[in-house]
């Protein structure tokens, strides 16, 4: 039985754990379903927006195609006009004519650009950026380099390239950090939610276990009180049965003695009124030693006077309380009587009354025996039922104590698990807090920083383009007229 109970308890524990796992899975699936429904709604809205954008895109594409065709056509016409103009202006006859009419003018192909102008243009581009972003230390250093005249364009351009490379690296780091922060915050938030669900489930399980333990404690106390009360009732019933049995024995002894006494009195009356019905008492049996003494001519020992009630030899086992007779002066003697005559009729009436008394005693003894027999049978049935109930209650008490012990062990395990889970939750919340300290500023100003870097890179690109164009500024293409 114990092995079977242990096996069943293990099965119950395993099934309970599976139920808890399934319930947890159901709750998680419910959360996932809700999130998926939200995602579905967002996706449907995005789909509508995308379809609308696609329709607008098709319309805009057709419009832009037409505009592009116009641009291409206009540009081709412009190029043709410029080509015709250049051809006309660069003709030898046209140049000869311009020489005669405009002797101080230079050719349309002359390019005059000095380093000072180039520095000024590049510095203007840098100042244009620093005007809107005054805290850019690198660009301020670059502006100082441009304002000076000792550093050549090659070094300044290299400085610009290095600054652009640094800005791109910083932006790549910010991109990686943003992705890291997003992923870590999502993971930490998911873990936090999972731990909060676990703590909530453990708190519910602990509360249920405490309620179960309290209820089991009440049931165990009730069973112990019931067993104690049952034992008390058994003791009281046993004492009552003993008293009833003692009363029965006393009654039977008294009634038996009364019957013997009535029979003795009736026999004594028969000796006088009806000698034929008289039964002489049995002769006293001599002992072996007394018989030997009589046979050898000795005399028998004197017969002891009978004891009991009135010398009849009938004794009552029950206690008899003696009553003292009041000693008063005797009455005066009656008058002298005449000749005595037997009153046989009166004697027979007395013996009839004795027979009635004997019949009443027999009836009372029969009823008492029946009552005693029934009472003893009821007592035995009650004791058997009490023994069965006590056995069942004791077994139930042991079972509930075992369940209570298992529940207390499970409560202790759940409490330890809740403590560990709560500690892990606190650690996760601290980690989330540290992530926010590390990432909130970046996430808040990410677009601002990205836009500022892009603007800075654009400004550097423009400044570099100006400086790069200066490489050809020293080539002055002056038209040398070979004709005089």
């Amino acid at each position: 039985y114990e092995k079977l109970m242990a096996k069943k308890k293990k099965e119950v524990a395993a099934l309970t754990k599976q139920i808890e796992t399934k319930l947890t899975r159901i709750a998680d699936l419910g959360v996932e379903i809700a999130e998926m429904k939200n995602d579905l709604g967002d996706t449907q809205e995005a789909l509508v927006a995308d379809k609308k954008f696609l329709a607008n895109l098709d319309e805009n594409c057709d419009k832009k195609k037409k505009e592009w065709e116009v641009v291409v056509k206009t540009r081709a016409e412009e190029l043709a006009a410029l080509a015709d103009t250049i051809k006309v202006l660069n003709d030898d006859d046209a140049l000869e004519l311009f020489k005669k009419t405009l002797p101080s003018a230079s050719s349309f192909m002359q390019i005059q650009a000095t380093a000072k102008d180039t520095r000024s243009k590049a510095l203007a581009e840098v100042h244009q950026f620093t005007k809107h972003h005054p805290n850019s230390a690198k660009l301020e250093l670059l502006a100082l380099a441009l304002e000076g005249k000792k550093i050549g364009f090659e070094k300044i351009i290299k400085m610009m390239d290095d600054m652009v490379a640094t800005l791109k690296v910083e932006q790549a780091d910010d991109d990686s950090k943003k992705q890291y922060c997003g992923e870590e915050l999502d993971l930490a938030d998911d873990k936090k939610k999972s731990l909060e669900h676990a703590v909530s489930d453990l708190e519910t399980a602990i509360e249920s276990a405490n309620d179960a333990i309290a209820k089991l404690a009440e049931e165990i106390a009730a069973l112990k009180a019931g067993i104690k009360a049952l034992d008390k009732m058994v003791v009281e019933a046993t004492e009552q049965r003993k008293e009833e049995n003692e009363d029965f024995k006393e009654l039977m002894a008294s009634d038996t003695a009364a019957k013997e006494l009535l029979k003795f009195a009736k026999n004594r009356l028969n000796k006088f009124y009806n000698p034929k019905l008289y039964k002489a008492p049995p002769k006293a049996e001599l002992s072996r030693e007394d018989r030997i003494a009589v046979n050898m001519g000795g005399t028998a020992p004197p017969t002891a006077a009978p004891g009991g009630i009135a010398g009849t030899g009938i004794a009552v086992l029950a206690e008899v309380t003696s009553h003292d007779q009041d000693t008063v002066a005797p009455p005066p003697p009656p008058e002298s009587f005449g000749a005595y005559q037997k009153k046989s009729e009166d004697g027979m009436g007395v013996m009839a009354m004795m027979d009635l008394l004997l019949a009443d005693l027999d009836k009372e003894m029969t009823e008492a025996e029946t009552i005693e027999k029934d009472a003893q049978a009821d007592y035995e049935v009650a004791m058997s039922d009490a023994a069965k109930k006590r056995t069942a209650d004791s077994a139930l008490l042991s079972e509930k104590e075992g369940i209570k012990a298992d529940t207390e062990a499970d409560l202790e395990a759940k409490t330890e698990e809740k403590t560990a889970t709560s500690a892990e939750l606190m650690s996760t919340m601290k980690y989330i807090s540290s992530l926010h300290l590390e990432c909130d500023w970046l996430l808040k100003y990410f677009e601002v920083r990205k836009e500022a870097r892009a603007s800075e890179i654009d400004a550097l690109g423009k400044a570099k383009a100006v400086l790069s164009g200066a490489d050809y500024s020293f080539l002055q293409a002056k038209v040398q007229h070979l004709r005089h």
Side-chain angles (χ1 to χ4, degrees):
Y1 171 77
E2 292 178 354
K3 291 181 179 179
L4 179 61
M5 287 301 295
K7 184 177 179 182
K8 293 299 181 183
K9 286 180 180 178
K10 290 182 180 178
E11 292 179 359
V12 169
L15 292 174
T16 303
K17 187 173 182 181
Q18 290 182 4
I19 291 172
E20 292 175 354
T21 304
K22 298 295 182 183
L23 291 175
T24 304
R25 180 59 179 164
I26 289 172
D28 294 338
L29 289 175
V31 174
E32 291 179 2
I33 289 171
E35 292 177 351
M36 288 181 178
K37 287 182 178 178
N38 293 332
D39 293 340
L40 177 61
D42 296 339
T43 305
Q44 290 176 345
E45 293 177 358
L47 178 61
V48 173
D50 290 341
K51 288 182 178 179
K52 185 177 180 180
F53 175 75
L54 180 61
N56 294 332
L57 184 63
D58 292 337
E59 183 179 353
N60 291 332
C61 286
D62 294 337
K63 185 177 179 181
K64 292 297 180 182
K65 284 180 181 179
K66 293 179 181 179
E67 292 177 354
W68 176 250
E69 290 176 356
V70 174
V71 169
V72 170
K73 183 178 179 182
T74 303
R75 186 177 294 170
E77 293 175 354
E78 183 179 3
L79 291 174
L82 291 173
D84 293 339
T85 302
I86 292 170
K87 181 179 179 182
V88 171
L89 295 176
N90 284 334
D91 187 73
D92 292 340
D93 295 334
L95 291 175
E96 188 68 26
L97 178 63
F98 289 147
K99 182 179 179 182
K100 292 178 179 180
T101 57
L102 299 171
S104 59
S106 61
S107 173
F108 288 102
M109 294 297 294
Q110 183 179 10
I111 300 174
Q112 294 181 344
T114 64
K116 183 177 180 181
D117 295 335
T118 303
R119 285 179 184 270
S120 299
K121 292 180 181 180
L123 188 60
E125 294 292 340
V126 173
H127 283 164
Q128 183 69 23
F129 178 79
T130 56
K131 181 178 179 182
H132 298 90
H133 303 84
N135 295 323
S136 180
K138 294 180 180 179
L139 285 181
E140 290 177 357
L141 293 175
L142 181 61
L144 290 175
L146 287 172
E147 289 174 355
K149 299 179 179 180
K150 295 182 178 180
I151 301 177
F153 288 166
E154 294 81 3
K155 292 184 179 181
I156 294 176
I157 290 173
K158 187 176 185 306
M159 288 175 61
M160 290 179 178
D161 291 337
D162 294 340
M163 290 174 66
V164 170
T166 302
L167 288 171
K168 289 182 178 180
V169 171
E170 289 177 355
Q171 185 60 44
D173 292 341
D174 279 2
D175 292 338
S176 300
K177 189 64 175 291
K178 180 185 178 184
Q179 183 179 1
Y180 165 79
C181 289
E183 292 176 353
E184 287 299 314
L185 284 172
D186 289 340
L187 291 175
D189 189 59
D190 293 341
K191 185 177 180 181
K192 177 184 168 228
K193 290 179 180 178
S194 176
L195 290 173
E196 286 176 344
H197 286 309
V199 170
S200 177
D201 294 341
L202 288 171
E203 288 176 349
T204 303
I206 289 171
E207 184 179 357
S208 299
N210 284 324
D211 293 340
I213 290 172
K215 186 177 181 181
L216 286 170
E218 293 177 359
E219 293 176 353
I220 289 171
L223 284 172
K224 288 182 177 179
I227 292 173
K228 186 177 180 180
L230 181 63
D231 292 341
K232 183 178 179 182
M233 289 174 61
V234 168
V235 172
E236 292 176 352
T238 303
E239 292 296 329
Q240 182 180 354
R241 180 84 280 274
K242 288 181 179 179
E243 292 175 359
E244 291 175 352
N245 185 257
E246 292 295 331
D247 293 341
F248 168 73
K249 290 179 179 179
E250 182 179 352
L251 176 64
M252 294 299 291
S254 298
D255 287 354
T256 301
K259 284 177 65 178
E260 294 295 329
L261 187 60
L262 288 172
K263 287 179 181 179
F264 182 87
K266 181 180 178 182
N267 189 48
R268 181 67 184 83
L269 290 175
N270 282 332
K271 182 179 180 181
F272 181 77
Y273 291 107
N274 195 359
K276 292 181 180 180
L277 298 177
Y278 173 71
K279 295 180 181 179
K283 294 181 179 181
E285 290 285 340
L286 296 176
S287 65
R288 188 165 175 264
E289 291 80 3
D290 292 340
R291 285 199 303 270
I292 293 172
V294 171
N295 291 333
M296 292 179 67
T299 58
T303 304
I309 301 173
T312 60
I314 301 171
V316 183
L317 297 178
E319 296 180 356
V320 178
T321 305
S322 61
H323 302 279
D324 295 334
Q325 301 294 331
D326 296 334
T327 56
V328 296
E335 295 181 359
S336 179
F337 51 82
Y340 180 79
Q341 293 180 354
K342 286 185 179 182
K343 299 177 181 180
S344 59
E345 294 180 357
D346 293 339
M348 295 302 292
V350 171
M351 286 189 286
M353 289 179 64
M354 290 183 180
D355 288 337
L356 290 176
L357 292 174
L358 287 170
D360 290 340
L361 288 172
D362 288 337
K363 181 180 179 181
E364 184 180 14
M365 292 176 70
T366 302
E367 290 178 353
E369 288 177 348
T370 302
I371 292 172
E372 172 66 14
K373 183 178 180 181
D374 292 342
Q376 182 64 26
D378 292 341
Y379 171 75
E380 291 175 356
V381 171
M383 291 300 103
S384 176
D385 293 342
K388 291 178 181 178
K389 180 172 175 54
R390 196 181 193 287
T391 301
D393 289 348
S394 298
L396 184 59
L397 177 62
S398 300
E399 180 181 356
K400 288 189 178 296
E401 287 178 343
I403 295 174
K404 182 172 177 286
D406 293 340
T407 307
E408 288 174 346
D410 184 62
L411 174 61
E412 184 178 357
K414 287 285 191 296
T415 303
E416 292 177 356
E417 185 178 356
K418 178 179 176 287
T419 302
T421 306
S422 299
E424 187 177 359
L425 176 60
M426 290 296 295
S427 176
T428 302
M429 293 178 70
K430 289 181 180 178
Y431 177 64
I432 292 174
S433 178
S434 66
L435 279 177
H436 281 296
L437 290 175
E438 182 181 358
C439 299
D440 283 354
W441 186 87
L442 173 65
L443 295 176
K444 182 178 180 180
Y445 295 104
F446 177 79
E447 294 298 333
V448 176
R449 287 162 59 85
K450 182 177 181 180
E451 183 179 355
R453 285 198 186 96
S455 299
E456 189 172 354
I457 291 172
D458 183 62
L460 290 171
K462 290 179 179 179
K464 180 183 176 182
V466 172
L467 295 178
S468 298
D471 293 341
Y472 304 96
S473 63
F474 297 104
L475 300 178
Q476 296 184 356
K478 294 183 177 180
V479 178
Q480 300 293 332
H481 300 285
L482 300 177
R483 300 177 181 176
H484 299 285

